[in-house]
Amino acid sequence: RGRDGGGILNHASLSMENVRVTGNQAGAASTSADYSGDGGGIFNNEGSLVLTLVEIMDNETANGPYGTYNGVDGGHGAGIYSRGGTVSLTDSQVTGNSTGNGGDGGTGLNSYGGDGGSGGGIYLSTGADITATRTLIELNNTGAGGYGNRYPNGYGGAGGAGAGIYVADGTLTLVD
């Protein structure tokens, strides 16, 4: 499995002020049985994360690898991925982050392409609670879906959703 948290992996309580998290990448999956890592800049795993005057920019999650049968999904949450826990962003920026593309499916009948990663800027899952106050979230991208073998019933993967923010499960509060 590709590793989560390319820049920072938080399992406890972390506060940062006037910091830049930039140019990181979550780990790539090595086989079609694995998953691409999530959280290119920061992966918050049920912890408490307080960010003030922080720039989270130009981080990535890896592409999903080619599958011998089906392709693998690209990683999610290129800027921040929060699985549970709480995140507070104040006077911060989440910009220019990109999730990975889905891997192509194999040449066998009915192969499927992997989905592109979702949540280019921020991805919330498993009851995460995020409050963003006076925070700029812009110019983030999601990955493209991988190719599949259409014959007779396979299909390509879907492109990622929520280039700025993707809420799979949780609470998002935006202020100012």
Side-chain angles (χ1 to χ4, degrees):
R1 168 166 169 70
R3 296 292 183 181
D4 297 325
I8 296 170
L9 177 59
N10 180 46
H11 291 284
S13 180
L14 175 64
S15 294
M16 296 191 300
E17 184 172 345
N18 201 21
V19 174
R20 181 178 290 157
V21 179
T22 185
N24 302 289
Q25 183 180 41
S30 58
T31 70
S32 61
D34 292 332
Y35 297 93
S36 298
D38 298 321
I42 299 173
F43 187 98
N44 184 48
N45 189 15
E46 299 183 7
S48 172
L49 187 60
V50 178
L51 308 172
T52 306
L53 296 167
V54 173
E55 292 180 4
I56 300 166
M57 55 194 280
D58 301 326
N59 299 289
E60 301 176 343
T61 60
N63 295 331
Y66 166 87
T68 53
Y69 188 66
N70 294 326
V72 176
D73 295 348
H76 302 296
I80 299 172
Y81 184 106
S82 188
R83 178 187 301 144
T86 60
V87 178
S88 172
L89 289 120
T90 304
D91 298 320
S92 296
Q93 296 181 23
V94 181
T95 61
N97 302 288
S98 299
T99 61
N101 296 326
D104 293 339
T107 57
L109 296 178
N110 302 323
S111 71
Y112 300 102
D115 294 339
S118 293
I122 300 172
Y123 188 102
L124 285 75
S125 77
T126 319
D129 185 0
I130 294 184
T131 300
T133 304
R134 294 179 307 277
T135 295
L136 179 66
I137 301 167
E138 70 174 1
L139 303 174
N140 299 290
N141 298 296
T142 58
Y147 293 100
N149 184 355
R150 295 185 313 142
Y151 183 79
N153 296 313
Y155 58 86
I165 302 170
Y166 185 89
V167 182
D169 180 21
T171 303
L172 172 68
T173 304
L174 301 173
V175 180
D176 291 335

